[in-house]
Amino acid sequence: MHTPRIPLSTPPRPTDAAEFAMAFTSTPRGARLARLFVSHCLDSWGHPYDGDVNETMTLITAELCANAVRHGRVPGRDFHVRLAAEADGGRLRLEVSDTRTERRPAVATPTVPGSESESGRGLLLVAALADGWGVTDRRSGPGKTVWAVVTTASGDRPRTPAQALTPTAAPPRPAAGPSGTRVHRRT
């Protein structure tokens, strides 16, 4: 019997369960490459580069990967990125894992840094743009995984980071997740 093969140039349809996973060097270049690969992957899954879903997930990827490089770096170890779409295409889950166990981000409503501060806005953006996010132990060894979920059909998600940070945007609400992990969900 002959099993038909799908040519490699044919991207998966958004209705198929799809996944992208890759390890990147714990450098700014690795974080940039992860962001570009996720954006390209989303485009191939039917979320165009200039679409809300692609822009939102690309920004979340950039923030989580920058945090993995800056705060989760262990010399000689890579960070891992996993992007998965549910079978119905309704939700996307991004996971960024690093090997540092002792520097876990606090899963609480992020505080707004001072106007003169040069950092501290990454998780604030993630909390504002994602439908949920949290931190779990890394599945394949030491470290942690910071994850974010975005609903692809959500019409009430802020369209830009500036809109996400306006006072009218609802702050995330902490909730208990599976296995006692703490998560944030937008109201």
Side-chain angles (χ1 to χ4, degrees), residues 115 133 139 143 145 162 170 173:
S115 62
W133 75 279
R139 282 185 250 171
T145 298
R173 216 179 23 193

Side-chain angles (χ1 to χ4, degrees), residues 10-61:
T10 304
R13 294 182 311 270
T15 57
D16 293 340
E19 182 177 304
F20 164 80
M22 184 177 259
F24 295 92
T25 59
S26 292
T27 62
R29 182 173 187 255
R32 184 174 58 252
L33 287 173
R35 176 181 53 84
L36 293 172
F37 272 101
V38 165
S39 180
H40 178 72
C41 186
L42 288 167
D43 181 66
S44 72
W45 291 353
H47 302 288
Y49 290 111
D50 59 351
D52 291 341
V53 171
N54 195 314
E55 288 179 351
T56 299
M57 288 301 289
T58 300
L59 178 58
I60 291 171
T61 302

Side-chain angles (χ1 to χ4, degrees), residues 84-93 131-132 147 149-153 185:
E86 289 185 353
D88 65 357
R91 288 177 14 138
L92 296 168
R93 180 179 173 100
D131 294 315
W147 57 267
V149 175
V150 171
T151 304
T152 59
R185 291 194 180 96

Side-chain angles (χ1 to χ4, degrees), residues 77-98:
R77 298 290 180 104
D78 295 337
F79 71 93
H80 296 256
V81 174
R82 179 178 172 270
L83 175 67
E86 289 185 353
D88 65 357
R91 288 177 14 138
L92 296 168
R93 180 179 173 100
L94 175 74
E95 298 176 353
V96 178
S97 303
D98 63 58

